[in-house]
Amino acid sequence: MSIYESCPVLESEKFILRLFEEKDCDDLLKVYSDKNALPFFNSDNCDGDNFYYATNERMAQALDFWKMSYEKGWFARLSIIDKTSSTVIGTVELCLRVSEDTYNNKGILRLDVRSDYETEDALYDITALITPHLSELLGCDDVITKVPIYAVERTKAMQRAGFTKSEEYLIGKNGFAYDGYWVKK
């Protein structure tokens, strides 16, 4: 069943992943106004949005856009809840890429977390929770994620989760070539 027909709730010992809700706005503002987290957000091919939201109003606008995008089947944004603190500490964005490059018909996994969760263990736990379900949710076998060269903890987490660095560029809708992608088959 497609993620757009029914978005699952996924749960591990440490985290819950579920479709974002408007009530997540305050917690998400702490994520998207975190200047130390900003360099790890993947804004490739996002029409100039860098995902830095410094006000409740701007965060609420982003939530409205995410809701419309989910309803149109463009992407699904799931909130990541830390079960220990019962707070939203980030989001996972999932979509199927339709393109004319190497990454056509591959899932895209964007993982945005507060900077205090930018650790190998937290990133691995979140990635390991979502990746086994991607085939059924997105209808694809392979998934890509962005790992900037300076993201040492993220690199270790993705290696541990079975991702390998790709030498291929993602070609954006404006023709710009983005690097730093990792693939899991």
Side-chain angles (χ1 to χ4, degrees):
M1 177 178 296
S2 164
I3 195 169
Y4 303 109
E5 294 169 30
S6 175
C7 188
V9 174
L10 304 174
E11 189 169 347
S12 68
E13 185 180 313
K14 297 177 184 175
F15 298 104
I16 298 171
L17 301 180
R18 60 145 169 82
L19 193 62
F20 78 92
E21 299 173 4
E22 287 182 31
K23 70 178 183 180
D24 300 341
C25 189
D26 289 342
D27 284 348
L28 287 173
L29 180 62
K30 292 174 186 162
V31 175
Y32 290 99
S33 65
D34 180 347
K35 291 179 184 176
N36 293 322
L38 185 61
F40 300 101
F41 299 164
N42 177 1
S43 60
D44 292 356
N45 221 25
C46 291
D47 300 318
D49 188 349
N50 68 357
F51 299 100
Y52 179 69
Y53 310 136
T55 65
N56 268 336
E57 179 183 68
R58 183 63 188 98
M59 189 71 242
Q61 288 171 347
L63 293 177
D64 287 343
F65 179 73
W66 295 352
K67 181 179 180 192
M68 183 214 36
S69 298
Y70 180 74
E71 290 168 352
K72 291 184 180 270
W74 296 344
F75 62 81
R77 183 78 67 155
L78 286 70
S79 287
I80 305 164
I81 298 129
D82 181 328
K83 289 170 67 173
T84 334
S85 62
S86 298
T87 57
V88 177
I89 56 89
T91 66
V92 170
E93 180 188 299
L94 301 171
C95 68
L96 184 65
R97 179 158 168 79
V98 177
S99 65
E100 294 183 18
D101 64 12
T102 304
Y103 300 119
N104 185 44
N105 288 320
K106 292 188 179 6
I108 295 178
L109 167 69
R110 286 188 163 109
L111 179 53
D112 301 341
V113 295
R114 277 189 345 225
S115 58
D116 52 327
Y117 284 87
E118 187 67 32
T119 66
E120 177 185 351
D121 287 342
L123 295 167
Y124 170 78
D125 289 344
I126 296 162
T127 304
L129 178 57
I130 191 76
T131 52
H133 305 280
L134 292 176
S135 177
E136 71 184 75
L137 295 175
L138 295 175
C140 62
D141 293 325
D142 300 347
V143 64
I144 63 172
T145 194
K146 174 96 173 202
V147 182
I149 194 165
Y150 51 80
V152 178
E153 295 293 309
R154 193 169 285 243
T155 297
K156 290 188 280 187
M158 293 308 143
Q159 286 172 326
R160 207 165 125 196
F163 284 79
T164 56
K165 186 169 182 357
S166 173
E167 298 303 319
E168 301 293 327
Y169 289 92
L170 182 143
I171 307 302
K173 53 191 169 202
N174 59 1
F176 190 83
Y178 299 98
D179 67 349
Y181 281 88
W182 289 57
V183 180
K184 181 178 174 88
K185 297 183 182 283

